[in-house]
Amino acid sequence: MSLATIWCFASGYLSFFFTDCLMSRWLLNYTPQATIIRLLTINALNAYITSIVLYWTGGFSDPRLFLPGWISIATVWKNHTLTVCYHITHSQINIRKETVTSINVFSIGSTITMITLLVHMHTYQSDYPDMPLVVHARRFCEEVSRRIASIETAGRPEL
């Protein structure tokens, strides 16, 4: 669930960034009322597509499937579809800043997800071979906890 939350935040950030850029452009060309209608429309479409993707990936039936659902939403819907729409609507503007922001958001989410899933696979797969680094780290943690326990028991008076 925590990994799905990271991807949910990444998706939300990209959606905010996209609508913020569109709203800035709309406010220059349209009245505030027309801009509000456009924002409500794009948010309704966004909510509907998010709901459909989470339904079809099984996120509503099993919480473990929220992760693939939110990764799908963030990568396919938010990144590709909204980026194409943004390029179409802002064809005359340099979009380097927006592209770098999108890459940064996905780099952070992907790195955290990859590390967490590797740790999970290594921890819960019985036939997965132990890495020497993990073996040494586990021994070190056990030794530290054993020494802390012996220090705590040595400092207590006997009853």
Side-chain angles (χ1 to χ4, degrees), residues 39-144:
L39 283 174
L40 290 174
T41 303
I42 203 164
N43 284 334
L45 180 65
N46 194 5
Y48 177 73
I49 291 175
T50 300
S51 173
I52 292 296
V53 171
L54 285 176
Y55 173 76
W56 283 107
T57 58
F60 292 134
S61 61
D62 189 353
R64 293 174 293 181
L65 296 175
F66 269 125
L67 180 61
W70 277 109
I71 290 174
S72 301
I73 290 167
T75 55
V76 176
W77 171 238
K78 304 294 187 214
N79 195 30
H80 296 100
T81 307
L82 294 181
T83 303
V84 167
C85 291
Y86 185 77
H87 290 319
I88 290 170
T89 59
H90 288 77
S91 57
Q92 298 88 6
I93 298 173
N94 183 5
I95 55 160
R96 182 181 170 132
K97 178 183 172 190
E98 291 80 5
T99 305
V100 169
T101 301
S102 177
I103 290 170
N104 288 340
V105 168
F106 281 102
S107 296
I108 293 167
S110 296
T111 301
I112 292 171
T113 302
M114 177 190 62
I115 290 170
T116 305
L117 291 177
L118 283 172
V119 167
H120 182 271
M121 181 178 69
H122 181 74
T123 304
Y124 295 107
Q125 295 287 330
S126 61
D127 59 345
Y128 195 77
D130 283 336
M131 294 186 323
L133 176 67
V134 174
V135 171
H136 293 302
R138 193 174 291 143
R139 282 186 200 152
F140 177 76
C141 290
E142 289 171 358
E143 182 66 25
V144 168

